[in-house]
Amino acid sequence: MYLPLVNDLMANRREGDSTCILTQTNEEAVILVALLRKHGLNSKLVQSMDGLRFWNLAEVRMFLKLINSCSHTPLIADDAWERAKQSTFATYAGSSSLQYLQKCLSLFEQTNKAKYLNDFKEFVFESCIEDFYDFSGTDIVVSTIHKAKGREFDDVYMLISNPVNIGNELLRRYYVGATRARNRLSVHTDSSIFDSMPADEHHVCRELFDMPSDVILQLSHKDVNLGFFKTRKNEILALRAGQELRFENNYLYDCKTNTALAQLSQKMQRELLRWTEKGYQVAFASIRFIVAWRPKDAPKEEKEHAVLLIDLALKRLTNTSEQL
């Protein structure tokens, strides 16, 4: 249902109105972002981060380390704050995720003329990455329903595909999604659960559409072999978010040194095989985030490890496609 939803949006989008597409899963959201960008629409993704904490970003960890090392009183001196900023920004100048730390520091500066170390740490530890998204210049926001709570848009397009175990919890989630719309709500679904709801228009489409030719899979902690990173901390910390990696036989390699840096988990290998059977293969891979991680059962003296969270860009190279 991806293509008909995007076609509907493009046909009815009104200049100046804020627009959001809501999905049930991260996978649906990233597929729609790729499709929108292919049609020339600037889109921003807001998704469930599946256990990723803002303070674990490599950029944030470096800034915290610098601030801790130079703060000998509860109050952070302005010159120490600026030096930490300059050093972190210079070190991660090429990182695509530096923007989140920059927005975090800017917001803290706006609300705290006197910068206390404990206040800053509390601000960081209570924050999520999505708190620092910049939507300026964005045509379409694409979000999972869960992450859209508290936001409103003029027009909302909601994708409800193959709902199962329909109960009160699921219906409450759909209610949250539906009430994000100020002016107009359009629901695209292959289910009958919305048939009895009053609406200005009901349309039934029986045409079969191909899956998009380009798909991006955004890997979480569960999608990589975490143990593989334990001996590769120095190599990983030398990398930057946004950097391209070479993918081969379920491993990811540094393009310059040809060093193996990451391995897909067994779960992700099975998932990738499912996409391969649909006619897709990996076109390229890139680093989305570099984060700190330590096993839950690790002894206290064990140091944290550096982990790569990766984007896999898939391209359909055959005529095989899944019809929706």
Side-chain angles (χ1 to χ4, degrees), residues 133-260:
Y133 283 162
D134 183 6
F135 293 113
S136 59
T138 302
D139 295 323
I140 315 293
V141 173
V142 182
S143 172
T144 54
I145 296 173
H146 174 67
K147 287 299 178 182
K149 193 172 183 179
R151 305 174 191 268
E152 287 188 342
F153 303 87
D154 294 319
D155 293 344
V156 168
Y157 294 80
M158 196 157 65
L159 178 66
I160 306 298
S161 175
N162 190 30
V164 294
N165 300 323
I166 300 171
N168 289 336
E169 183 177 350
L170 189 64
L171 294 176
R172 280 195 294 269
R173 185 192 309 167
Y174 295 159
Y175 176 81
V176 168
T179 53
R180 299 310 92 202
R182 293 193 194 98
N183 300 328
R184 191 174 66 138
L185 171 69
S186 176
V187 179
H188 287 250
T189 183
D190 53 6
S191 168
S192 61
I193 62 172
F194 294 95
D195 288 359
S196 61
M197 291 184 63
D200 294 331
E201 297 178 19
H202 278 99
H203 298 283
V204 177
C205 178
R206 303 196 182 280
E207 183 180 353
L208 297 179
F209 293 88
D210 285 345
M211 283 283 289
S213 59
D214 298 290
V215 169
I216 297 176
L217 303 182
Q218 295 198 322
L219 276 56
S220 70
H221 290 75
K222 297 177 182 178
D223 300 318
V224 289
N225 177 1
L226 292 170
F228 192 82
F229 295 106
K230 289 187 176 181
T231 59
R232 294 166 171 81
K233 185 173 183 177
N234 291 337
E235 292 93 333
I236 290 171
L237 290 180
L239 304 172
R240 297 293 177 263
Q243 188 169 331
E244 192 165 325
L245 301 174
R246 181 172 65 84
F247 176 83
E248 184 178 347
N249 295 328
N250 296 314
Y251 287 87
L252 293 121
Y253 297 84
D254 187 319
C255 295
K256 295 179 181 178
T257 65
N258 210 32
T259 304

Side-chain angles (χ1 to χ4, degrees), residues 23 31 88 104 106 112 115 126 175 221 226 232 239 267 271 314:
T23 68
I31 289 173
T88 306
C104 166
S106 176
N112 296 269
K115 304 175 187 67
E126 291 182 353
Y175 176 81
H221 290 75
L226 292 170
R232 294 166 171 81
L239 304 172
K267 168 183 171 292
E271 175 70 10
L314 310 183

Side-chain angles (χ1 to χ4, degrees), residues 286-308:
S286 60
I287 301 169
R288 185 165 85 261
F289 297 118
I290 301 172
V291 299
W293 167 80
R294 182 169 56 192
K296 291 182 179 179
D297 57 353
K300 290 183 179 180
E301 63 272 13
E302 182 176 333
K303 293 184 178 180
E304 291 177 319
H305 310 288
V307 167
L308 297 176

Side-chain angles (χ1 to χ4, degrees), residues 54-71 80-95 97-98 101 105 117 120-121 124-125 233 237-240 290-292 304:
F54 174 67
W55 69 82
N56 282 334
L57 292 189
E59 297 83 354
V60 178
R61 283 303 184 89
M62 179 177 180
F63 186 82
L64 285 170
K65 183 178 179 180
L66 292 173
I67 286 295
N68 274 322
S69 65
C70 66
S71 297
W81 178 268
E82 289 302 320
R83 283 197 305 271
K85 282 174 57 176
Q86 291 172 12
S87 181
T88 306
F89 293 175
T91 300
Y92 286 97
S95 170
S97 59
L98 179 61
L101 174 62
L105 299 182
L117 181 60
F120 177 66
K121 287 183 177 180
V124 168
F125 295 154
K233 185 173 183 177
L237 290 180
L239 304 172
R240 297 293 177 263
I290 301 172
V291 299
E304 291 177 319

Side-chain angles (χ1 to χ4, degrees), residues 43 275 321:
S43 57
W275 283 100
S321 61

